[in-house]
Amino acid sequence: MKTSTLIKFAPIVLALSLIFTSIQLAKADVIQLERDFQPDPLTLSGTSGGFEKSNCGNIGATPSQVIEVAESLPYLRLSVESKGKPTLLIDGPEGRFCVLGDSYSQDKPEISGYWQAGKYSLYIGDLSKQQHSYTLLISQQKMPQK
């Protein structure tokens, strides 16, 4: 009897979870990026990590940030500053990839180069399985060579 009751309510539970997930995704503000955006660097903040295990550390169930590149940009740099061991998972038009910090960048994930137009979901994760405050810097300025 209990199994048949569970089966009856399974579609309702599934529908509610899909609605909840859609609401969570809708909460992520989309940041529009155009050529010569100001201020540069654009600074965003939040909390890293989460409870979802991925190939890019622990991440949240929803994106930390969503950016939309209005037109292809010849150069864009994203860098994450946070305690712990932060990661940057990018899900965009060119696919899904992970950026890890290294000893050269002092464990600060950073990626730069050409960015094609499109929407990018950014997940600020953490390899240490903890959550920390983070700052995401987005810039069109090239860093001086070391």
Side-chain angles (χ1 to χ4, degrees), residues 69-119:
V69 176
E71 61 180 281
S72 296
L73 298 172
Y75 183 84
L76 188 67
R77 178 171 40 89
L78 275 64
S79 59
V80 178
E81 297 177 355
S82 180
K83 294 182 180 181
K85 295 201 174 278
T87 64
L88 173 59
L89 177 64
I90 302 170
D91 190 1
E94 297 175 359
R96 187 174 174 132
F97 52 96
C98 178
V99 182
L100 302 172
D102 58 27
S103 57
Y104 177 74
S105 65
Q106 298 175 353
D107 287 328
K108 297 177 184 176
E110 183 172 297
I111 186 168
S112 61
Y114 172 85
W115 286 65
Q116 78 178 45
K119 190 178 282 191

Side-chain angles (χ1 to χ4, degrees), residues 5-134:
T5 303
L6 289 175
I7 292 172
K8 276 187 200 177
F9 289 108
I12 295 170
V13 171
L14 177 61
L16 289 173
S17 71
L18 289 173
I19 290 169
F20 180 72
T21 301
S22 297
I23 290 170
Q24 288 293 80
L25 287 174
K27 284 184 180 179
D29 291 333
V30 177
I31 307 297
Q32 300 284 333
L33 293 182
E34 298 179 4
R35 280 186 200 261
D36 302 321
F37 61 82
Q38 293 297 321
D40 189 352
L42 177 62
T43 304
L44 305 171
S45 60
T47 303
S48 70
F51 301 105
E52 302 284 325
K53 294 184 189 295
S54 77
N55 64 342
C56 202
N58 290 336
I59 60 171
T62 59
S64 306
Q65 308 288 334
V66 178
I67 60 172
E68 187 162 357
V69 176
E71 61 180 281
S72 296
L73 298 172
Y75 183 84
L76 188 67
R77 178 171 40 89
L78 275 64
S79 59
V80 178
E81 297 177 355
S82 180
K83 294 182 180 181
K85 295 201 174 278
T87 64
L88 173 59
L89 177 64
I90 302 170
D91 190 1
E94 297 175 359
R96 187 174 174 132
F97 52 96
C98 178
V99 182
L100 302 172
D102 58 27
S103 57
Y104 177 74
S105 65
Q106 298 175 353
D107 287 328
K108 297 177 184 176
E110 183 172 297
I111 186 168
S112 61
Y114 172 85
W115 286 65
Q116 78 178 45
K119 190 178 282 191
Y120 296 83
S121 295
L122 309 177
Y123 298 82
I124 313 301
D126 199 285
L127 294 174
S128 69
K129 299 181 182 178
Q130 297 178 357
Q131 293 184 297
H132 301 279
S133 296
Y134 72 81

